[in-house]
Structure formats: C-alpha cells, structure tokens
Amino acid sequence: MSLPRLAEWLEPAVGTVDDGPDAVDGPRRWWAGPLDVEGLALGSVRAAVSAFRLLTGERGLAVPAAQVAGAFGSQEYLRVDGRTPQMFAPLSRWFRAADGWVRLHGNYPHHVLALREVYGVSEPEELARILRDRTAAEIEGAVDAAGGIAAGLRTPGEWLSSAAGRAVADEPWINWRFGGSGSSPPAGPGLSGVRVLDLTRVIAGPTGTRLLAQLGADVLRVDPPHRPEILSQHLDTGAGKRSVVADLGDPGTRSRVEDLLGAADVVVTGYRPGALDRWGLGEEALRERYPHLVVIVLDAYGHQGPWAGRRGFDSIVQAATGIGHVYGGEVGGSWRPGALPVQALDHATGYGMAAAAMALLLRRTRDGAGSAHLSLARTAHVLLQLPPVSGAARQLSVTTQQTHSPHGLLDHAVGPITRDGVPVPLGVPGRYGAADLSW
C-alpha cells in the first residue's frame, strides 16, 4: 500500500516537496480498524521531516513504523515511577441520549464544572440517567453554551451534509496566509537558534512543539495559573521544553510576553478561537505587530462556519465527524460507538503544525514570514478520505526508554524519527511551571 503524501500540503509555501521513497521501515499496517490510521500517522511525520530537510539540508532522518506507532500511542506507554497515569476521567466517555449517543469530555476541572452547571450533577451514573431523556443535539448545545465540551454522534455523511461539516470540507489541511518580513535561516545545526513560544494545550499543539524542540529549537511553553495543564500531559508532550506559568491578564506579565514575541521566530497557539484576542495574541494582531513571526494556529473545527468557535478535543471531533460511528460495533449484544486506536487526530495535526512552522521558516528566508491554520476536524476529513486499507495488522515492538525527570522516573516511547538509524533524543520534561519567562 502506498503512503499518503501529506507533504503535498506544504507546496503552496515552499514549492515542490520530495518526501523520499514510498517505503516504510517496518510493517505498513499495525492497528486493526477500517481507516488508514497508519497512513495518516506516517504521512504526517514524513511531512514534518520533509519540511526539516528543506529548511536545514539535513538528509539523515528516517521515520520507522515502530517509532511512529509508539509516538502516536505515547500515553499508553507512559509510566511515572512505575505507575500508569490516568489519562481519561470518568466523564470522558460515551453516554446514551434519547435519540442516539453523545460524547463528553471531563478531564479538566472547568469542563466538569460546566456539566454540573447544566445538569446539577457530575457523577457519571447520575448524569447518564439525565442524558437518556435529552436528544444529542440538546446536550451538545447546552454543554457548549456553558463552556463545556460535547458532541453528538453522527455518521460521516450526516457530518458532511451539515453546515459545519461543509465549512471544514472547504478548507485545506494546512490553510496558509503569506506576507511578512524576512529573516535569515537557523544559524546552528537543526533548529538550533530558533525560538518558539508555545501557547498550546493538551496534545495536538504540544506534540508539534515537542518535535520542534526535539530538532533543536528553544521552546518555551506558557500556561495560565488558573487552568494548569494535567501533569501527565506535561510529562507526555513536554520533553525538551521549558515550562512557565504566567497570567496573561496581568499587564506586567503581558509586557514581558510581548518582549518574548519580539525576539521569537515562531508562535504556536491552540486555544479556542478568539480566546487570545483580548490580550493582543490573536493571529491578526500577531501578524500585524510582529511581521517577522511565523504564526501557527490550531483549533477544533476550522476558522469558518457555524462551529468555528467551538471547543473540541480529539475524541469529541471523532464523534462529530463520524469516526466514532465508523468504529462502532456490537458490544455485549448491543451496538455502541467506538474510537480510533490512538488519538491520531491530535498527533497528526501536531506533526502537521510542526511541518507548517518549518516550511514557513524556510519561506521567511525567501519571501517573508506568514501563518498557517490547522484544525482537528480537517485532519478527520483527511483520514476519512484516505483509500481503504487491506491486509492483517502486524504486531509491532515499540521502543521505550527511561528518563529521569524532576517529576520522577519516566518510562516512555521514543520519538517518531531517527537520525542515521538512531532515535533522535526527546529531551527531558522540565519541572512544570518552573522556568523563567525569558529566552
């Protein structure tokens, strides 16, 4: 089976892209299921490697199947001092609605509070009894209005026939905007000397910036004090970065962030659309005030259409776009919706973001900087549109390693790439929030 050439999405920014031979070091299929998740995984990482090759001229990187599988399933392999962190809270699951199914997300305390505000309860069993009497559309709308996250289960056809689905379908996987000032290429090996301000959360954006750090960039991740990141998420995606907690609502702090932006090369944002605008950190403001910056923007459902401002995570987008229906099946004598074997929308979008950042760094040396916009929903469309896969899944032996961190001894999967046959080191996740707000 040939590999999807996701690197083609880079060509509007950099011209023709050669992402290497159409071959895989290892099996081509290792996850059971109806969609080509492997192709999405390999294609997205290869796109990032292609952009890195173009930017730096380095040719020694490869993308082994076993390492890509481990990177996409990284949460499964993470252990902290021998213990398995809890990745999904009790409310982050499917619930029956009066007319079907709905997926909720409750990993973060403020999302649990939103559910309690709407329904008066936050225990899974009590909530399940209440939701059975409400339609999926009612639940979806009420939870979203309260600041929570939910999506009713749709088929792919139902999603594509909706206004929200049509809006996402009209967008490219990487939506480019060009125009800005130029700058010299990275001065050192790899991305050494490239400064990346990371204003993302959860998995997709942090996965992309983790790869940039792995390739040599100086990545500073900033989180708000009132909504800290889940520690296991930080340990999973924070390798090689510095972590700082800073209140952007404080004028003095915001002034320091503006100083950082003046000296940065890349800023990556992953908050709900419009959430950073009040602090002058939206895409338009960043492009106007810092024309030298490469700006990468992530959201759940794209930048146009009726769902453009909605919150969403990988599992929620799977429900809305029909992937949960495609992976549904009989469980205990009745049909239930399912899910991808890994959170592939998050990871693939993250590698697409890293690819876009490096492509724009290259473009900046020729024609000036620009910005790129990606969404989880558009990545879902890419996956759903890939040709069907065939053949039995082959078991892979995922490479793991141990790393001493300020938060304990970590067992974790290695990153998705090798250099001259050796896994490129991931680096160590620093102590959460302990870094200085400076380069």
Side-chain angles (χ1 to χ4, degrees), residues 8-50:
E8 289 179 341
W9 293 100
L10 304 177
E11 293 181 351
V14 296
T16 302
V17 176
D18 176 14
D19 55 354
D22 192 16
V24 179
D25 182 8
R28 171 63 174 80
R29 181 159 164 76
W30 56 86
W31 290 311
L35 298 179
D36 189 10
V37 185
E38 296 91 342
L40 179 72
L42 290 163
S44 60
V45 178
R46 281 161 58 94
V49 169
S50 296

Side-chain angles (χ1 to χ4, degrees), residues 191-435:
L191 299 184
S192 178
V194 173
R195 292 169 167 173
V196 180
L197 188 64
D198 182 355
L199 302 177
T200 68
R201 292 174 63 78
V202 200
I203 298 176
T207 293
T209 54
R210 180 185 64 189
L211 181 66
L212 298 177
Q214 186 181 9
L215 293 172
D218 178 10
V219 179
L220 180 64
R221 160 89 180 253
V222 180
D223 281 312
H226 61 292
R227 290 182 179 173
E229 184 58 278
I230 299 169
L231 181 58
S232 59
Q233 300 278 34
H234 165 69
L235 296 176
D236 184 37
T237 61
K241 308 179 195 177
R242 293 178 296 122
S243 164
V244 60
V245 172
D247 183 4
L248 296 176
D250 174 69
T253 299
R254 196 159 60 251
S255 176
R256 295 175 65 189
V257 170
E258 290 169 355
D259 290 340
L260 290 175
L261 289 167
D265 297 286
V266 180
V267 60
V268 186
T269 70
Y271 285 75
R272 178 177 56 85
L276 297 175
D277 291 356
R278 55 183 162 165
W279 296 311
L281 297 173
E283 180 183 1
E284 296 295 339
L286 288 170
R287 285 172 54 88
E288 180 178 346
R289 297 179 61 194
Y290 308 98
H292 71 286
L293 269 181
V294 165
V295 180
I296 310 296
V297 180
L298 164 72
D299 58 39
Y301 295 104
H303 74 289
Q304 60 185 6
W307 280 31
R310 282 209 177 190
R311 304 164 182 85
F313 294 148
D314 183 306
S315 59
I316 303 298
V317 174
Q318 287 188 47
T321 58
I323 291 173
H325 190 275
V326 172
Y327 276 79
E330 294 292 323
V331 178
S334 62
W335 188 92
R336 291 182 61 89
L340 295 175
V342 292
Q343 295 191 74
L345 306 184
D346 270 331
H347 288 275
T349 307
Y351 291 117
M353 295 168 70
M358 290 184 281
L360 286 173
L361 284 171
L362 175 59
R363 183 180 177 87
R364 189 175 69 165
T365 67
R366 302 171 177 174
D367 303 303
S371 62
H373 183 282
L374 293 90
S375 71
L376 299 179
R378 191 61 184 86
T379 302
H381 285 221
V382 171
L383 176 59
L384 287 163
Q385 292 164 359
L386 290 179
V389 290
S390 60
R394 292 176 54 189
Q395 187 174 1
L396 280 177
S397 179
V398 170
T399 303
T400 61
Q401 67 181 58
Q402 289 190 326
T403 299
H404 290 276
S405 83
H407 293 280
L409 179 64
L410 307 182
D411 292 272
H412 60 93
V414 301
I417 55 178
T418 61
R419 176 180 278 119
D420 299 325
V422 179
V424 178
L426 276 173
V428 179
R431 183 168 295 281
Y432 181 74

